[in-house]
Amino acid sequence: ARSLSAIREVRVGDATSASAVRISLASGSLVLLSRSAADANSICELLRVLRSTVPPTLRTNDEAMPPAPRMSGWLRLKNAKRSPFVYALLGRSKLLLFADATCDSLRTLLTLEAGSLSVEHALDSEEVDLQMRATAFKLTLVAASAFVAEQWAEAITEGISSKGLFLDPSAQTPPPPPAA
């Protein structure tokens, strides 16, 4: 895991794709592909805010990044070698997992998008499984209790089914236009 302080610049798009996120580091660069140009813009803005020296202010809407978290807390990240604790922030459209509560070291960022991410939680289990449908990527989060795991699973599922990052979730979807 690299520290956010290693990031020198974040840009949207490159010569091959408008959905690319180009991250210039102190020692090289990375190019990540997001699902859409809108996601790339959101990821870039989030990274800019996280590496800013001015602390972000929490807010109640999604007009700017980062959104106020719907849920936050400590979870364990389960993998084959070890199970480190991560500080999780769940926003309207992103789940961010940090190495500590200061949010200086981002471990994982997941976009909550219907059709691309599935959530599995068995009754009386402390584990919540997140699976990217198009890939073999699977993440298992372990909560302090089955009740807490159920709360996280419900909140993440609600985030997946929400209308998106920049839309008001309380707004009604307009009816389809009348057939001609």
Side-chain angles (χ1 to χ4, degrees):
R2 291 188 176 132
S3 172
L4 288 172
S5 63
I7 297 175
R8 298 293 177 239
E9 181 186 20
V10 180
R11 287 185 289 133
V12 177
D14 65 6
T16 60
S17 174
S19 64
V21 176
R22 178 171 292 282
I23 303 171
S24 298
L25 303 167
S27 60
S29 65
L30 297 170
V31 176
L32 309 172
L33 290 178
S34 63
R35 291 183 50 89
S36 66
D39 270 353
N41 281 317
S42 296
I43 291 167
C44 283
E45 188 61 27
L46 176 64
L47 288 171
R48 285 183 192 115
V49 169
L50 289 174
R51 64 181 275 273
S52 171
T53 57
V54 178
T57 57
L58 295 180
R59 51 190 187 68
T60 58
N61 60 25
D62 278 29
E63 293 172 4
M65 292 296 285
R70 290 183 167 189
M71 197 168 185
S72 63
W74 289 99
L75 298 170
R76 245 185 10 205
L77 189 60
K78 183 178 176 183
N79 63 30
K81 295 181 182 179
R82 57 191 178 110
S83 296
F85 279 93
V86 291
Y87 188 71
L89 289 176
L90 177 64
R92 281 195 179 152
S93 66
K94 306 276 188 252
L95 173 63
L96 297 95
L97 303 176
F98 292 94
D100 56 31
T102 62
C103 302
D104 285 335
S105 182
L106 182 66
R107 284 185 173 262
T108 305
L109 181 143
L110 292 174
T111 300
L112 307 178
E113 189 171 316
S116 66
L117 184 68
S118 66
V119 180
E120 295 178 16
H121 174 257
L123 190 62
D124 296 328
S125 172
E126 296 174 351
E127 295 183 356
V128 177
D129 292 323
L130 305 173
Q131 172 105 29
M132 296 294 288
R133 292 187 178 159
T135 67
F137 179 79
K138 182 178 180 181
L139 188 70
T140 300
L141 302 172
V142 182
S145 69
F147 175 78
V148 173
E150 182 178 342
Q151 297 298 310
W152 275 98
E154 287 177 7
I156 294 169
T157 301
E158 180 181 311
I160 291 171
S161 63
S162 70
K163 294 183 180 182
L165 181 61
F166 298 106
L167 300 177
D168 182 357
S170 62
Q172 298 294 319
T173 303

